[in-house]
C-alpha cells in the first residue's frame, strides 16, 4: 500500500509515492503585463458602464445613441426597420442604471452585453489584483460554437426588435 503526503498549500502540489497518483502543478500566476492588461480591460468595461449610466434611456426603446452625438440609425432611415443593434445603447444604459426589465424590453442582447460587461469588470480587476487566471476561463466564449450562439442570440433579439417595431410597442 502506497502512502501519499498531503498537498503543499504553498504550491498546490500533491506528492505521492504511488506511480498512478495524479500530481497537480501549481496554477501559473499571470505576468505583470497580463495583470496590467486585465486591469485596463476592467477599467474600459467600467468606463462603458459609466457612460451608459450617464445616458437617459430613450422611451421608444432606441435612439439613446443620439445623446452621444451619433447620427440616426441608417437602417431606420433607409428601410424604416430597426437594424440588428437598434436598442443596444438604450438597453445598455438602462441595465447600467439597474433597470433590467427596461433593458430587456429595449434589446435583450444589449441587456446581456451590459450584464457581461459588469461581470467582466470584477473578473478583470480580480485577475489584475491577484494574478488569477480566472479571465482565461472565458476563453471558451471564443470557440466557434459559442460565437455562433452569440450571433444566434443577436439574431433572435433582432427578430424580437422587428416584431416590436412593427407592432408599434416601445
Amino acid at each position: 500500500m502506497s502512502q501519499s503526503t498531503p498537498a503543499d498549500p504553498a504550491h498546490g502540489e500533491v506528492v505521492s509515492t504511488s506511480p498512478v497518483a495524479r500530481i497537480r502543478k501549481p496554477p501559473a500566476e499571470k505576468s505583470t503585463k497580463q495583470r496590467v492588461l486585465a486591469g485596463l480591460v476592467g477599467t474600459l468595461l467600467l468606463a462603458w458602464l459609466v457612460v451608459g449610466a450617464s445616458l437617459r434611456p430613450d422611451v421608444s426603446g432606441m435612439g439613446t445613441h443620439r445623446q452621444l452625438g451619433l447620427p440616426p440609425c441608417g437602417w431606420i432611415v433607409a428601410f424604416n426597420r430597426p437594424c440588428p443593434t437598434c436598442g443596444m445603447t438604450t438597453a445598455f444604459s438602462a441595465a447600467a442604471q439597474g433597470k433590467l426589465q427596461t433593458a430587456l424590453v429595449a434589446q435583450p442582447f444589449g441587456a446581456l452585453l451590459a450584464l457581461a460587461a459588469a461581470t467582466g469588470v470584477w473578473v478583470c480587476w480580480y485577475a489584475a489584483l491577484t494574478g488569477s487566471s480566472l479571465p482565461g476561463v472565458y476563453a471558451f466564449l471564443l470557440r466557434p460554437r459559442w460565437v455562433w450562439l452569440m450571433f444566434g442570440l443577436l439574431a433572435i433579439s433582432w427578430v424580437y426588435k422587428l416584431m416590436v417595431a412593427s407592432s408599434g410597442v416601445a
Side-chain angles (χ1 to χ4, degrees), residues 62 72-84 86 158 161-168:
M62 52 192 174
C73 175
W75 281 52
I76 292 177
V77 171
F79 307 114
N80 200 28
R81 296 280 182 259
C83 75
C86 273
W158 184 28
K161 196 68 181 177
L162 288 168
M163 290 178 4
V164 168
S166 67
S167 71

Side-chain angles (χ1 to χ4, degrees), residues 1-167:
M1 186 167 272
S2 65
Q3 292 184 347
S4 295
T5 59
D8 178 1
H11 295 87
E13 292 183 36
V14 174
V15 182
S16 174
T17 55
S18 169
V20 294
R22 285 184 106 164
I23 298 176
R24 289 186 302 227
K25 293 183 180 180
E29 189 170 305
K30 295 293 182 190
S31 69
T32 301
K33 182 179 176 181
Q34 290 170 318
R35 291 172 80 163
V36 167
L37 180 61
L40 289 173
V41 170
T43 302
L44 176 65
L45 292 171
L46 179 63
W48 286 345
L49 290 164
V50 168
V51 168
S54 71
L55 300 174
R56 191 181 71 257
D58 195 292
V59 294
S60 71
M62 52 192 174
T64 303
H65 69 282
R66 300 293 310 273
Q67 295 171 44
L68 297 170
L70 298 171
C73 175
W75 281 52
I76 292 177
V77 171
F79 307 114
N80 200 28
R81 296 280 182 259
C83 75
T85 62
C86 273
M88 290 271 194
T89 308
T90 303
F92 206 90
S93 175
Q97 295 173 19
K99 302 171 185 172
L100 295 180
Q101 184 175 1
T102 302
L104 285 167
V105 169
Q107 217 308 347
F109 194 73
L112 178 68
L113 289 178
L115 293 174
T119 302
V121 169
W122 296 108
V123 169
C124 288
W125 282 357
Y126 178 79
L129 293 173
T130 67
S132 167
S133 59
L134 190 56
V137 171
Y138 294 102
F140 75 92
L141 292 173
L142 299 176
R143 292 184 182 154
R145 175 188 309 174
W146 291 98
V147 171
W148 284 111
L149 176 65
M150 292 299 124
F151 278 122
L153 291 173
L154 175 61
I156 291 168
S157 291
W158 184 28
V159 169
Y160 160 79
K161 196 68 181 177
L162 288 168
M163 290 178 4
V164 168
S166 67
S167 71

